[in-house]
Amino acid sequence: MKKIKFLWLDDESKNTKRSVSDEFKMKEGFSKSSRFINVKNENVWNILEKDVYPTLDKYDLILIDHNFGGTQDTRLTGATVAESIRDRIKNRPIIAITNVPDIDIHKQSAYDDVIEFTRDISRKTDYLKSISEGYHVLSKKALADIDDLLKLMKAPKDDHERIKKIMPHELKSNITDPSFAYQFFKWSRFKFMERPGFLLDRLWASTLLGIKENRFSVVESLFEKAKYSGIFSKTSSDLWWQSQIKKLLFDTLADQPEMLPWRLGHALPGLTSNDIPLCHACKGEFPEVVAFTDETGKTSRPMHIKCTELHKEYESSLYFEDIRVMRAE
Amino acid sequence: MTTLRFTVDSALLGELGERLVEKVHYALVELVKNSYDADASYVTVKFIENDSGISEIHIIDDGIGMNFAEVQDYWMHIATTNKLNKDVSMRYGRPKTGSKGIGRFCCRRLGKKLTLITTGRNASKQEKTEVTFDWNAFTPGTKVTEITCQGKQETTKGDQTGTILIISDLTDEWTTRGYNYLKRQLAVLAANRGVRRDGFDEDPGFNIFIDAPSFEGEVRDLRSDLIKAGWGTVKAYINKSRKAVCELDALGIGRKTIVSEDKYSKLSDINMEIGIMILHRDQMRDTNIASMGTLREMLPEWGGVQIRYKGFRVYPYGDDDWLKIDEDRAYRRGTPNKELQAFAETLKGVDPGRALLSLSSMKNYIGNVEIGQAAKGFVMKANREGFLRSDEFEELRNFVRFAINWATIYHAFYIKEQTRKEAEASRASLQELIEQPIESQKVVEAAVNYLEKEFKSISSTLPTKQRQTASTAFYKATDAIVKHDQSNKEELKHLRLIASTSTLILIFSHEVKMLLGHLESSLLQLENIKESLGRTERNRIDDIQDWLRNSKGRLLELLDMTALIGVDSRKEAPKSLALHDRVESASKAFKVIADSYGITLDMNEIPSNIVVGPILEAELYAVLLNLLSNSIKSIIAADKERRIKISVKKSGGKVNMKFMDTGLGLNPDKHGDIFIPFIADIDGKLYSNLEKKLNPEDKYIVGTGSGLGLSIVKEILQARNGDIRILPPEGDWKAVLEVTLP
């Protein structure tokens, strides 16, 4: 893909975001002709009419501050602006960049995602590139059916039928809809990649293999083929296909009689029984799942299923792992 | 077989009229309700006077009226089931308000003679019927059905229907009290400013005019009077410079005007008048119209700010929260725009940042915004449900909210002033009593002294034994009042300090966030610079980046904790929390100071699977941070072994957490005092030793000791069915505190 050209709308007074925008432009993969428009004390609608709407198709990515309290309309939010932009161009990602990420779910739905500026904007360049590239691919490649989409996701054949079963009907039946990219990104990023099941993050992957998280790096290269590299892959931290992890594990240790992956992983080359993780709750070996330590869901740890219970605020979802919480003593 | 029939004695009319309707004003209310139920858009009630007082009452409406057959079959048919059959009115679908079938006999209660003139439709014709009823003829002993009433009937032209009731030879004297009752009751009906109901014509609303020279002197428009009866009325318009001109007339405030600094460049020919109806008896300007009862009945159905466009109501404005008032209340948005914040700063006692927290519900604002012929930019949607979104409409919303917000700030000021005045009045009245000036800080003390003096003079008349008993009781009670007052004053002083500090913390958090933003920008700069450097320099930059990211991580954790302070405890629900995780997070807050003084924290005896609660996360952190801070201070002051240990066990459904340290220890004789507010250093050793041992730059971390920490901890725990107590030291430990958590 050509270099990503972004448009950033913000009402900042201290030029911090402008400076970050300048640094983005310097980075590989971003176009130097990207623009930062400061709308402080301005009438945002006038700027949109004169300067933004007519040039929208030149940009690959739209970044918007959520809080536009510094503009002439102090009650305006980026969500309203995002809606008006998406009304005019469907196949561009729109990301909110804000200092106050506490945004109600209705307003959040106007954006593809919300990034907290002060927390992690400096680590989001790959993310922004990946989402822009994903949108670009979806807008250029005419998808005929769900199989084309599975190819873009680089989904293992073993998973095809199951993914087809859990993919929402609205997605499957609207592949040619102009807003498909937005709908697909939302599902893929916040359901498919977010909830462990088909894909696992580092903690889940290492727990499945029966290895301490900090020792997974020793055997990571063995599972390179299982790593998710499909569309939007860099919008999340590293993920691995669960089916492929198991396949590679059993292929590598074909001579072992043990069939439970979490009891087998420590036999991989370079690991010993010292690398077996302990259950956070009971300190016993071979935890099978990852669970929250309490209902706030702030911290996750490997645990035995018997030491956990279903988190009452989450529903079960076919082919995805249950969301569990530590059982109190 | 012989057929028998009931007959009705004329005395029944008296029973219905006088027994069912006790007072004349109740009767008149019923007759106006009949007009409402007859789909009238207005009713005029006239009190006609002659030299001897009120001689006639006229009730005139433009309702659907009655044709001749209806007069005969319904009006003159006692206790007809006509009303029972239909719960809502025919044309507009109004829920019927009149009592079932007795309204007409209220006429008899009001006067001895009635002329009914009514015009109603009969198929394609219009019939006017006039009947005169002389109730004197309906004397006991006569039969209702045998007395005739004179009437005439004619077919008229046009389509104006309606009913006129002329009641004369009045039976009772009208009092001001009765008249005010009438107004209050009718205010609920007058609040109907138009509404649409499925399957019916659009209801234009119901206007009530009362012409009662002896009571008012001029014709009263009840709706207009109602709007003026609440706490305040705010009127606003756009002047030639396109600025908002707002006028407030409010209780305790008087008449005030403001002209906005901001221009509403897209608005013209806009006027609004809104009554601010506060559901509080002391906050009504005219209790003859507004009362708690009528407002409670009226506001849920008829409250709201409607929009009229070129004279017609635009839906759904007024039924919905188009001004986002309830939304702002739900989100507790208390800060007005800069212009109004500056204005709020001019009013004593009003907190400019929270001045809108007293905003009432959208239903408490009752009135209209009129968009006139000259206004531009308002285009109705194709389905006639509101305007198309436009800059003009957004400006209109901002304009109305500006006026309402401005009035709200005055309301906040009014509340403050009232409280101050009430306190001032009670002080003045006490001053008058004791004939001496009293400082505002010493009112309780002066009141107690006065009581003491009075008590002495009264008790001197009692027998000795009774005097002694009474004296003991009196002095114990007054001592409790004085001590409690002193304690409250002290606590208030400190709470003020804490409250001001919490604002500072939020400002500080905001500034730290800004700094983190710069840090993010610098990290990106370093990333870009790194790409042009050699391997050695790149490694150095990597180290710097790692260090910056670690520092940032610590700051973010602390920021997350300060964010918990800002949590609205009414919205945030208490939860079950993993204790180990929270102790770990709390200990990180003291990591820098613990490391620099070599203090170790042993958490090995906190099982990972202990979950406490339900408790607010902020509360649990308050407990942990206070206890850790106390232990660290005590250890540094003692300057010996430097260890803290926390062990946790579960027993009897509760979690027992022991905090043990090697600090100064606690004097067993003073264990009871440690949880009393403002006792910061029970043995007087802690802070003097700390002064000597603590590096000056570390003082801010451990605090200066308000003496409130442990008392707050105890209160939090007790409120959550937990507790805290001191245990005798065990082993090498100098102090052991046991916390019980739910």
Side-chain angles (χ1 to χ4, degrees):
Chain A
M1 187 193 165
K2 63 180 174 55
K3 288 190 169 186
I4 289 152
K5 187 172 171 180
F6 64 81
L7 170 68
W8 192 331
L9 289 169
D10 207 294
D11 66 339
E12 72 161 357
S13 53
K14 295 188 179 171
N15 282 328
T16 317
K17 288 184 185 166
R18 184 185 283 279
S19 145
V20 166
S21 156
D22 290 341
E23 294 302 324
F24 275 180
K25 286 191 221 168
M26 305 282 286
K27 283 204 81 71
E28 198 184 329
F30 286 98
S31 164
K32 288 195 168 46
S33 55
S34 298
R35 273 188 83 193
F36 183 94
I37 303 180
N38 193 345
V39 293
K40 183 147 183 78
N41 298 326
E42 300 285 347
N43 182 324
V44 178
W45 297 109
N46 286 348
I47 289 174
L48 287 173
E49 287 289 348
K50 285 180 194 156
D51 217 8
V52 175
Y53 296 154
T55 59
L56 272 178
D57 58 349
K58 292 182 184 161
Y59 298 104
D60 307 297
L61 169 67
I62 315 292
L63 304 171
I64 303 181
D65 187 9
H66 176 69
N67 190 349
F68 274 145
T71 67
Q72 282 186 14
D73 181 354
T74 53
R75 297 171 70 88
L76 185 68
T77 67
T80 312
V81 177
E83 293 277 16
S84 84
I85 290 176
R86 207 180 296 280
D87 225 22
R88 286 161 177 83
I89 193 159
K90 311 276 184 212
N91 52 7
R92 298 291 190 279
I94 304 176
I95 310 281
I97 296 191
T98 176
N99 286 326
V100 187
D102 188 16
I103 301 172
D104 71 62
I105 51 172
H106 172 70
K107 289 198 173 84
Q108 269 187 40
S109 68
Y111 309 112
D112 289 86
D113 200 1
V114 177
I115 295 177
E116 192 177 351
F117 179 77
T118 49
R119 211 162 274 263
D120 49 13
I121 190 70
S122 67
R123 287 182 183 273
K124 287 289 180 179
T125 49
D126 283 347
Y127 172 91
L128 295 174
K129 269 193 268 186
S130 177
I131 188 173
S132 307
E133 283 162 3
Y135 260 78
H136 185 73
V137 168
L138 287 170
S139 67
K140 294 292 170 200
K141 196 173 171 69
L143 300 177
D145 53 29
I146 190 171
D147 290 316
D148 284 349
L149 197 57
L150 290 168
K151 278 183 203 157
L152 284 181
M153 293 166 75
K154 297 187 184 170
K157 283 224 159 41
D158 302 347
D159 287 324
H160 278 202
E161 287 312 308
R162 292 192 305 151
I163 295 174
K164 283 179 187 176
K165 273 189 190 160
I166 55 98
M167 189 177 282
H169 172 72
E170 303 84 67
L171 274 182
K172 286 186 279 198
S173 57
N174 287 300
I175 281 181
T176 54
D177 190 273
S179 63
F180 178 74
Y182 165 77
Q183 304 293 348
F184 177 69
F185 172 73
K186 283 275 187 183
W187 174 78
S188 129
R189 175 66 189 83
F190 298 107
K191 170 80 187 202
F192 191 72
M193 293 160 80
E194 179 75 14
R195 183 155 181 168
F198 291 91
L199 296 171
L200 303 177
D201 65 11
R202 186 170 290 269
L203 178 59
W204 260 100
S206 55
T207 306
L208 175 72
L209 289 168
I211 306 169
K212 285 177 182 164
E213 188 187 9
N214 61 359
R215 297 291 288 158
F216 181 63
S217 57
V218 175
V219 292
E220 196 173 336
S221 58
L222 289 173
F223 297 95
E224 191 57 34
K225 279 188 188 166
K227 199 179 251 185
Y228 179 66
S229 60
I231 189 165
F232 298 127
S233 58
K234 290 282 192 295
T235 59
S236 163
S237 53
D238 288 343
L239 296 169
W240 289 264
W241 291 98
Q242 177 167 186
S243 62
Q244 296 309 291
I245 285 184
K246 285 180 187 164
K247 187 170 182 300
L248 288 166
L249 175 72
F250 292 125
D251 285 352
T252 310
L253 301 174
D255 54 337
Q256 299 273 345
E258 178 59 61
M259 292 306 289
L260 297 172
W262 51 88
R263 287 184 172 270
L264 195 53
H266 68 278
L268 285 165
L271 299 176
T272 68
S273 57
N274 289 334
D275 297 318
I276 298 168
L278 299 180
C279 170
H280 180 73
C282 73
K283 308 301 176 200
E285 285 184 330
F286 303 120
E288 307 96 348
V289 294
V290 172
F292 290 131
T293 54
D294 62 36
E295 59 181 301
T296 62
K298 289 183 176 172
T299 313
S300 298
R301 297 273 188 266
M303 289 179 218
H304 290 125
I305 289 183
K306 66 177 183 186
C307 297
T308 67
E309 57 196 10
L310 290 177
H311 194 305
K312 56 180 184 256
E313 286 174 17
Y314 289 84
E315 73 290 351
S316 289
S317 195
L318 184 66
Y319 303 137
F320 288 94
E321 299 292 338
D322 282 327
I323 305 299
R324 309 186 74 88
V325 63
M326 183 171 72
R327 193 190 293 276
E329 189 197 313
Chain B
M1 185 92 171
T2 307
T3 305
L4 299 168
R5 282 198 181 91
F6 279 108
T7 56
V8 178
D9 194 286
S10 295
L12 180 67
L13 298 186
E15 291 294 315
L16 287 171
E18 283 159 30
R19 298 276 171 99
L20 290 176
V21 190
E22 195 188 339
K23 305 274 186 194
V24 280
H25 42 269
Y26 300 167
L28 192 44
V29 168
E30 278 301 316
L31 295 176
V32 176
K33 282 181 179 174
N34 279 355
S35 295
Y36 184 85
D37 295 346
D39 288 323
S41 68
Y42 79 88
V43 64
T44 302
V45 179
K46 285 185 178 179
F47 289 77
I48 310 291
E49 295 179 14
N50 59 19
D51 293 344
S52 54
I54 301 167
S55 59
E56 286 184 5
I57 294 173
H58 296 186
I59 300 139
I60 305 156
D61 73 43
D62 66 345
I64 57 171
M66 290 175 283
N67 58 34
F68 183 76
E70 285 166 338
V71 171
Q72 203 164 35
D73 295 345
Y74 300 135
W75 213 86
M76 297 189 66
H77 187 94
I78 298 169
T80 173
T81 56
N82 187 33
K83 275 209 176 185
L84 290 172
N85 293 339
K86 294 169 190 164
D87 289 337
V88 294
S89 69
M90 280 169 55
R91 189 186 292 173
Y92 303 138
R94 290 175 180 167
K96 286 193 175 172
T97 56
S99 299
K100 309 289 186 287
I102 64 149
R104 68 207 75 173
F105 293 103
C106 293
C107 297
R108 193 195 179 293
R109 178 71 188 84
L110 283 167
K112 289 178 184 146
K113 198 171 172 188
L114 165 71
T115 303
L116 165 72
I117 307 164
T118 181
T119 307
R121 304 289 300 172
N122 184 358
S124 58
K125 290 185 297 179
Q126 184 146 296
E127 286 176 4
K128 182 177 175 185
T129 308
E130 183 172 337
V131 195
T132 301
F133 301 85
D134 183 359
W135 304 115
N136 285 325
F138 293 79
T139 50
T142 62
K143 290 175 184 162
V144 170
T145 48
E146 287 173 2
I147 295 167
T148 54
C149 301
Q150 296 304 311
K152 57 182 179 183
Q153 172 204 359
E154 60 178 300
T155 304
T156 58
K157 288 183 180 172
D159 57 1
Q160 184 57 58
T161 57
T163 300
I164 300 171
L165 299 171
I166 299 170
I167 299 159
S168 54
D169 204 357
L170 301 184
T171 53
D172 217 334
E173 271 198 15
W174 276 81
T175 62
T176 304
R177 194 176 165 163
Y179 177 75
N180 288 336
Y181 173 87
L182 173 78
K183 284 204 297 183
R184 277 198 300 278
Q185 292 298 306
L186 298 187
V188 179
L189 299 178
N192 176 355
R193 292 167 296 147
V195 67
R196 282 194 309 210
R197 301 180 184 93
D198 285 346
F200 295 94
D201 290 352
E202 183 177 332
D203 186 343
F206 189 60
N207 289 282
I208 303 173
F209 302 99
I210 304 180
D211 185 2
S214 349
F215 297 112
E216 304 276 10
E218 59 178 337
V219 180
R220 306 304 307 183
D221 175 346
L222 210 49
R223 187 180 304 149
S224 164
D225 285 354
L226 174 68
I227 285 175
K228 293 186 181 92
W231 173 76
T233 312
V234 60
K235 291 183 186 177
Y237 63 94
I238 301 288
N239 69 8
K240 283 182 184 165
S241 316
R242 302 287 170 114
K243 291 183 171 183
V245 181
C246 310
E247 295 164 3
L248 174 72
D249 186 359
L251 187 67
I253 299 291
R255 286 177 190 275
K256 301 283 177 193
T257 305
I258 190 173
V259 180
S260 70
E261 283 171 18
D262 287 341
K263 284 190 176 182
Y264 297 86
S265 56
K266 297 185 188 313
L267 299 185
S268 61
D269 199 5
I270 308 278
N271 286 281
M272 59 163 261
E273 182 175 5
I274 295 170
I276 302 166
M277 321 302 274
I278 308 291
L279 268 172
H280 197 293
R281 196 174 159 69
D282 295 337
Q283 295 187 39
M284 294 172 195
R285 280 176 294 170
D286 186 352
T287 48
N288 293 328
I289 293 186
S291 68
M292 293 293 283
T294 52
L295 290 187
R296 272 203 197 103
E297 194 178 339
M298 187 184 79
L299 292 178
E301 190 169 5
W302 301 114
V305 178
Q306 297 180 356
I307 295 182
R308 288 183 187 266
Y309 182 51
K310 297 178 182 175
F312 293 96
R313 183 178 169 193
V314 183
Y315 292 89
Y317 309 120
D319 299 336
D320 64 354
D321 186 28
W322 71 280
L323 290 167
K324 298 187 179 175
I325 289 173
D326 285 351
E327 183 185 307
D328 283 357
R329 278 161 50 84
Y331 285 104
R332 307 267 305 149
R333 291 178 188 134
T335 313
N337 69 15
K338 280 182 186 157
E339 182 181 352
L340 290 180
Q341 262 194 68
F343 164 72
E345 276 168 15
T346 64
L347 300 179
K348 195 181 167 191
V350 176
D351 178 352
R354 301 157 65 85
L356 298 184
L357 286 181
S358 64
L359 198 64
S360 295
S361 160
M362 59 161 275
K363 290 285 184 186
N364 290 69
Y365 301 91
I366 183 164
N368 295 336
V369 178
E370 305 277 352
I371 305 174
Q373 297 284 350
K376 291 195 170 59
F378 293 93
V379 181
M380 298 283 287
K381 288 182 187 166
N383 62 4
R384 316 299 290 166
E385 285 290 324
F387 294 114
L388 288 175
R389 191 193 155 131
S390 65
D391 290 350
E392 285 78 4
F393 185 73
E394 285 302 315
E395 267 202 2
L396 179 73
R397 192 204 317 268
N398 291 340
F399 157 70
V400 180
R401 277 304 301 268
F402 176 81
I404 289 178
N405 289 354
W406 171 67
T408 302
I409 293 168
Y410 262 124
H411 185 247
F413 174 64
Y414 164 80
I415 299 287
K416 288 272 177 194
E417 276 295 282
Q418 283 309 105
T419 316
R420 192 186 59 74
K421 278 179 188 164
E422 278 165 21
E424 193 52 36
S426 70
R427 183 163 71 101
S429 122
L430 188 63
Q431 271 182 172
E432 209 176 296
L433 211 59
I434 64 175
E435 296 172 342
Q436 268 179 11
I438 309 168
E439 284 177 46
S440 57
Q441 289 294 309
K442 294 186 175 169
V443 175
V444 172
E445 204 180 309
V448 167
N449 288 342
Y450 176 70
L451 276 177
E452 197 176 322
K453 200 176 101 195
E454 291 296 304
F455 174 78
K456 273 183 184 160
S457 94
I458 294 166
S459 65
S460 62
T461 63
L462 295 173
T464 311
K465 197 169 179 189
Q466 280 181 23
R467 191 171 64 235
Q468 281 168 349
T469 313
S471 290
T472 310
F474 177 84
Y475 286 112
K476 273 189 180 168
T478 51
D479 191 46
I481 291 169
V482 170
K483 292 234 164 84
H484 212 71
D485 179 53
Q486 280 167 354
S487 159
N488 281 346
K489 277 179 191 155
E490 279 302 307
E491 209 160 328
L492 192 63
K493 212 157 68 183
H494 281 260
L495 287 174
R496 274 196 200 112
L497 192 69
I498 290 166
S500 62
T501 317
S502 75
T503 312
L504 273 176
I505 287 173
L506 294 177
I507 294 167
F508 178 72
S509 304
H510 180 259
E511 288 304 307
V512 171
K513 271 200 157 191
M514 287 292 114
L515 275 178
L516 289 175
H518 289 300
L519 197 57
E520 284 288 296
S521 166
S522 307
L523 282 167
L524 263 170
Q525 276 175 350
L526 287 175
E527 193 71 31
N528 284 341
I529 292 167
K530 204 165 67 177
E531 283 167 16
S532 60
L533 298 175
R535 176 186 282 271
T536 318
E537 288 85 357
R538 271 212 303 271
N539 287 344
R540 283 185 62 198
I541 300 269
D542 277 342
D543 289 345
I544 296 171
Q545 281 184 311
D546 284 348
W547 184 84
L548 286 175
R549 288 203 164 103
N550 282 339
S551 307
K552 200 188 87 180
R554 275 211 309 279
L555 276 174
L556 283 170
E557 275 199 46
L558 285 172
L559 270 183
D560 285 343
M561 282 196 199
T562 57
L564 290 171
I565 299 170
V567 163
D568 184 341
S569 60
R570 283 170 304 177
K571 274 203 284 183
E572 188 72 7
K575 286 199 162 84
S576 299
L577 304 170
L579 187 57
H580 191 281
D581 291 357
R582 300 309 182 292
V583 175
E584 211 166 27
S585 292
S587 68
K588 279 185 193 165
F590 295 105
K591 186 174 174 4
V592 175
I593 195 160
D595 285 352
S596 65
Y597 288 86
I599 299 169
T600 59
L601 172 61
D602 179 357
M603 299 195 298
N604 290 328
E605 288 183 28
I606 309 176
S608 304
N609 59 346
I610 296 276
V611 173
V612 298
I615 185 169
L616 288 176
E617 206 172 355
E619 292 175 332
L620 183 56
Y621 276 127
V623 171
L624 296 171
L625 292 172
N626 267 299
L627 296 179
L628 278 170
S629 156
N630 284 350
S631 287
I632 288 171
K633 280 188 278 192
S634 179
I635 285 172
I636 297 172
D639 198 17
K640 289 177 183 164
E641 258 199 287
R642 300 184 171 199
R643 290 187 296 128
I644 301 172
K645 180 174 178 177
I646 304 173
S647 70
V648 178
K649 273 187 187 154
K650 193 157 187 185
S651 80
K654 298 241 173 177
V655 173
N656 293 321
M657 175 165 59
K658 272 191 201 168
F659 261 79
M660 295 168 274
D661 68 54
T662 52
L664 291 169
L666 303 161
N667 184 339
D669 298 338
K670 295 176 180 169
H671 283 185
D673 298 341
I674 200 166
F675 301 109
I676 295 171
F678 311 118
I679 299 187
D681 187 359
I682 218 157
D683 293 322
K685 291 189 286 186
L686 179 64
Y687 287 99
S688 55
N689 282 8
L690 261 184
E691 282 289 322
K692 292 175 208 156
K693 308 281 165 53
L694 202 61
N695 297 327
E697 68 271 21
D698 294 333
K699 278 184 189 167
Y700 73 97
I701 295 181
V702 289
T704 52
S706 67
L708 280 172
L710 282 177
S711 72
I712 289 172
V713 164
K714 194 172 180 78
E715 278 187 22
I716 288 173
L717 290 168
Q718 287 181 338
R720 297 287 176 202
N721 288 326
D723 208 349
I724 181 167
R725 62 180 180 144
I726 299 162
L727 297 181
E730 48 189 74
D732 298 337
W733 303 109
K734 301 293 179 203
V736 180
L737 279 160
E738 186 190 53
V739 172
T740 312
L741 287 155

